[in-house]
């Protein structure tokens, strides 16, 4: 593709040859990488805390001394949160590709913080729903900024296991929220306890803002936005930090990358390029994101309502059942994660999706036969989501690594929005089915979730992309990379070292 055909604004009219991506990929694992993981991964703990708080207190919010809303309204709050997350992903995803990873993941965290505090002061259903929407926009934006930063800062050889570990930290927040909810609801009145939960989540967010100052802008993003000098400075600082514990760094591998220096690329041209060059990858991303979104959003937001409705679990103590469920979700990516780098993406994603789908279908049959108890249903869910969690985390990894660097955040946002958009109505619909008290109707919901996960696995088998151990630039060539023979200008001397 000839340069100058992408609707470039503010182009510098020159190219550079750089080994910065190779230098980042060859770095040994170090203290610096741990700081990045902690600073970025805590976001998912917050999101897990948010979602589980709403799910855990759903039954309590129907009481007269709280917001006194219906079961379907309580679960519908999850739909409002997801709607906000979709809007935030699209808006902040675009801004992340335009203005940088670091700037946006600070802004999105701030948005989340403000409206989480506001949620604690909700006075009726609509105020609660509106604050959930606005808090969701911040978290939705986080998905794009954080996953982009993870991929672009973590070495290729461990990108899979690190991405899965960070995304699965969501379940640490889930377990904390479940235990926290029980403690708060037992120590305080119902109307005070649930409000304190959101307040504590906001306090955690304040701490993260300070930790995030240690995370630099992505050098890869700087390279593709006409800021090669800054990219070089950032990489030199990273290398100096790593050399404190690993003095002798290995030499970069592979050929240097030639990049045309541009300030930005028109969004329409980016979309056109992706549609023309990667149509199958678009189908893959949508299938993986939509199937896991339906499974999770239907199950998690209605989990405690199922236990209290069909198994007469205590409304105050029902959230305790979420803790073993969260453990299964956390252990799946942690135990299976290394296999996504060694065995490969295609086999592991397809097998985890299909295994989760089959297990949920078995759970649906057992639930319909009414042979389960609250405990055994939780065990079945834990086994199912051991596999589902690894697959779902890999879905975010997939959409972040199979598209060009310039579109990464927007691709994550788009597929998150499309996948979650399909599932927005799932919490409300599931709540309505639970309200009927019909075992048959809830069984149908389980079956739909299981079938969709299996379909996602089949799509991965057919058109999945093997990206294990490969540099991002090898998986999807940057749009701004020079294509020889297309009239591109000669490369300027390399700035790297």
């Amino acid at each position: 593709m000839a340069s100058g055909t992408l609707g470039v604004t503010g182009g510098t009219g020159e190219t550079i040859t750089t080994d910065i991506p190779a230098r980042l990929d060859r770095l040994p694992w170090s203290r610096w990488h741990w700081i990045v993981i902690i600073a970025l991964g805590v976001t998912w703990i917050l999101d897990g805390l948010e979602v589980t708080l709403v799910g855990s207190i759903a039954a309590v919010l129907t009481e007269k001394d709280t917001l006194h809303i219906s079961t379907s309204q309580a679960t519908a709050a999850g739909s409002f949160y997801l709607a906000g997350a979709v809007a935030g992903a699209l808006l902040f995803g675009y801004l992340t590709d335009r203005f940088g990873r670091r700037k946006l993941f600070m802004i999105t965290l701030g948005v989340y913080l403000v409206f989480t505090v506001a949620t604690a002061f909700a006075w009726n259903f609509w105020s609660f729903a509106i604050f959930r929407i606005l808090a969701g926009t911040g978290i939705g934006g986080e998905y794009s900024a954080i996953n982009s930063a993870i991929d672009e800062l973590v070495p290729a050889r461990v990108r899979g296991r690190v991405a899965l570990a960070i995304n699965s930290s969501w379940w640490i927040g889930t377990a904390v929220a479940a235990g926290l909810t029980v403690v708060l609801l037992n120590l305080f009145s119902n109307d005070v306890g649930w409000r304190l939960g959101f307040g504590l989540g906001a306090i955690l967010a304040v701490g993260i803002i300070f930790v995030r100052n240690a995370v630099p802008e992505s050098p890869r993003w700087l390279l593709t936005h006409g800021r090669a000098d800054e990219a070089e400075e950032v990489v030199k600082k990273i290398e100096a930090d790593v050399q404190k514990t690993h003095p002798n760094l290995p030499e970069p591998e592979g050929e240097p990358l030639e990049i045309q220096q541009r300030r930005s690329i028109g969004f329409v041209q980016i979309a056109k390029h992706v549609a023309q060059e990667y149509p199958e990858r678009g189908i893959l991303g949508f299938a993986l994101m939509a199937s896991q979104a339906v499974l999770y959003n239907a199950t998690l937001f209605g989990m405690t309502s199922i236990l209290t409705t069909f198994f007469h679990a205590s409304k105050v103590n029902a959230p305790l059942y979420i803790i073993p469920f969260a453990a299964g979700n956390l252990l799946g990516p942690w135990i299976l994660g290394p296999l996504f780098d060694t065995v490969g993406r295609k086999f592991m994603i397809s097998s985890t999706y299909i295994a989760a789908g089959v297990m949920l279908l078995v759970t649906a049959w057992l639930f319909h036969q009414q042979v389960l108890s609250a405990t055994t249903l939780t065990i079945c869910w834990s086994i199912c989501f051991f596999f589902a969690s690894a697959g779902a985390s890999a879905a975010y990894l997939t959409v972040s690594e199979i598209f060009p660097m310039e579109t990464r955040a927007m691709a994550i946002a788009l597929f998150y929005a499309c996948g979650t958009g399909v599932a927005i109505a799932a919490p409300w619909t599931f709540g309505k089915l639970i309200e009927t008290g019909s075992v048959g109707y809830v069984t149908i919901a389980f079956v739909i979730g299981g079938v969709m996960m299996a379909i996602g696995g089949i799509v991965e088998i057919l058109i999945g992309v093997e990206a294990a151990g490969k540099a991002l630039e090898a998986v999807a060539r940057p749009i701004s990379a020079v294509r020889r023979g297309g009239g591109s200008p000669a490369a300027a001397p390399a700035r790297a070292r």
Side-chain angles (χ1 to χ4, degrees):
M1 183 180 296
S3 62
T5 63
L6 291 173
V8 177
T9 59
T12 64
E14 66 178 31
T15 66
I16 64 160
T17 301
T18 180
D19 63 353
I20 281 178
R23 286 160 64 191
L24 289 171
D25 282 340
R26 68 63 151 98
L27 290 176
W29 194 259
S30 67
R31 174 181 173 274
W32 182 84
H33 291 100
W34 281 115
I35 291 173
V36 170
I37 284 182
I38 293 169
L40 301 182
V42 177
T43 294
W44 302 151
I45 296 178
L46 282 178
D47 190 24
L49 188 73
E50 283 285 298
V51 172
T52 309
L53 274 174
V54 177
S56 298
I57 66 174
V60 172
L61 293 181
T62 62
E63 301 291 337
K64 290 183 179 180
D65 59 344
T66 59
L67 297 183
H68 197 201
I69 58 182
S70 67
T71 298
S72 59
Q73 285 180 320
T75 54
S79 294
F80 284 105
Y81 179 78
L82 294 175
V86 167
L90 292 173
L91 172 62
F92 292 118
Y94 170 72
L95 295 177
T96 295
D97 274 337
R98 187 69 183 272
F99 298 110
R101 304 346 184 180
R102 188 176 191 277
K103 183 179 293 183
L104 266 295
F105 65 53
M106 297 298 283
I107 292 173
T108 52
L109 185 58
V111 171
Y112 161 84
L113 173 61
V114 169
F115 291 106
T116 294
V117 172
T119 301
F121 295 95
W123 58 91
N124 59 19
F125 170 69
W126 285 110
S127 63
F128 185 78
I130 290 171
F131 293 145
R132 290 290 76 216
I133 291 174
L134 295 173
T137 61
I139 288 295
E142 289 273 287
Y143 279 94
S144 301
I146 301 306
N147 276 297
S148 299
I150 292 169
D151 278 4
E152 293 167 9
L153 293 172
V154 171
R157 66 185 179 278
V158 294
R159 189 171 62 239
R161 71 193 72 186
V162 170
L164 264 66
I166 290 178
N167 279 287
S168 67
S169 64
W170 195 94
W171 294 99
I172 297 176
T174 296
V176 170
L180 183 65
T181 302
V182 173
V183 171
L184 292 176
L185 293 180
N186 277 289
L187 290 180
F188 301 93
S189 67
N190 287 344
D191 194 42
V192 173
W194 73 266
R195 297 178 190 275
L196 288 176
F198 286 105
L200 292 175
I203 291 173
L204 180 60
V206 171
I208 299 171
I209 289 178
F210 293 102
V211 176
R212 285 217 178 149
N213 284 320
V215 181
E217 181 56 85
S218 164
R220 284 175 156 109
W221 182 87
L222 291 169
L223 276 177
T224 59
H225 286 75
R227 297 163 65 179
D229 291 343
E230 292 177 58
E232 179 68 19
E233 289 177 9
V234 170
V235 173
K236 284 183 176 179
K237 289 180 181 178
I238 294 172
E239 288 174 331
D241 201 329
V242 174
Q243 283 179 312
K244 292 176 182 178
T245 53
H246 300 81
N248 301 314
L249 298 181
E251 288 298 315
E253 297 180 358
E255 293 296 321
L257 186 66
E258 195 171 349
I259 297 287
Q260 183 171 3
Q261 294 292 277
R262 298 161 166 157
R263 299 301 177 196
S264 62
I265 299 176
F267 177 66
V268 173
Q269 293 300 327
I270 287 176
K272 184 186 296 184
H273 176 85
V274 172
Q276 291 174 347
E277 298 290 329
Y278 305 106
E280 284 192 350
R281 296 187 182 191
I283 296 171
L284 173 67
F286 177 76
L288 293 180
M289 294 297 285
S291 54
Q292 63 86 25
V294 169
L295 176 70
Y296 271 97
N297 293 320
T299 303
L300 192 58
F301 283 106
M303 187 176 179
T304 57
S305 295
I306 288 177
L307 296 174
T308 56
T309 301
F310 294 97
F311 300 100
H312 308 294
S314 163
K315 291 183 178 181
V316 172
N317 295 320
L320 288 175
Y321 288 96
I322 295 177
I323 295 177
F325 175 73
N329 278 276
L330 185 63
L331 291 174
W334 284 10
I335 292 174
L336 301 178
L339 299 178
F340 285 78
D341 285 321
T342 55
V343 175
R345 306 281 200 265
K346 286 191 68 171
F347 177 81
M348 290 305 300
I349 293 174
S350 59
S351 60
T352 51
Y353 265 67
I354 292 172
V358 170
M359 187 61 203
L360 190 59
L361 292 175
V362 171
T363 302
W365 181 78
L366 293 172
F367 180 78
H368 189 262
Q369 296 299 310
Q370 300 185 49
V371 297
L372 296 175
S373 64
T375 300
T376 53
L377 175 59
T378 302
I379 292 172
C380 288
W381 273 334
S382 299
I383 296 171
C384 169
F385 284 86
F386 173 88
F387 297 104
S389 181
S393 296
Y396 285 98
L397 170 64
T398 296
V399 298
S400 67
E401 65 184 0
I402 64 175
F403 295 101
M405 187 186 311
E406 298 88 340
T407 71
R408 182 161 293 118
M410 198 60 211
I412 298 168
L414 181 62
F415 288 106
Y416 171 79
C418 291
T420 305
V422 170
I424 279 179
W428 177 82
T429 304
F430 210 36
K432 281 293 187 183
L433 294 175
I434 294 169
E435 275 187 343
T436 66
S438 169
V439 171
Y441 286 154
V442 175
T443 299
I444 292 173
F446 284 154
V447 170
I448 291 172
V451 170
M452 288 199 67
M453 282 297 284
I455 290 174
I458 293 170
V459 172
E460 175 68 26
I461 291 174
L462 297 176
I463 58 175
V465 177
E466 188 51 75
K470 296 180 180 178
L472 293 172
E473 294 74 20
V475 179
R477 188 174 179 83
I479 296 174
S480 53
V482 173
R483 272 76 167 172
R484 283 305 176 194
S488 300
R495 284 204 52 82
R497 290 177 163 155

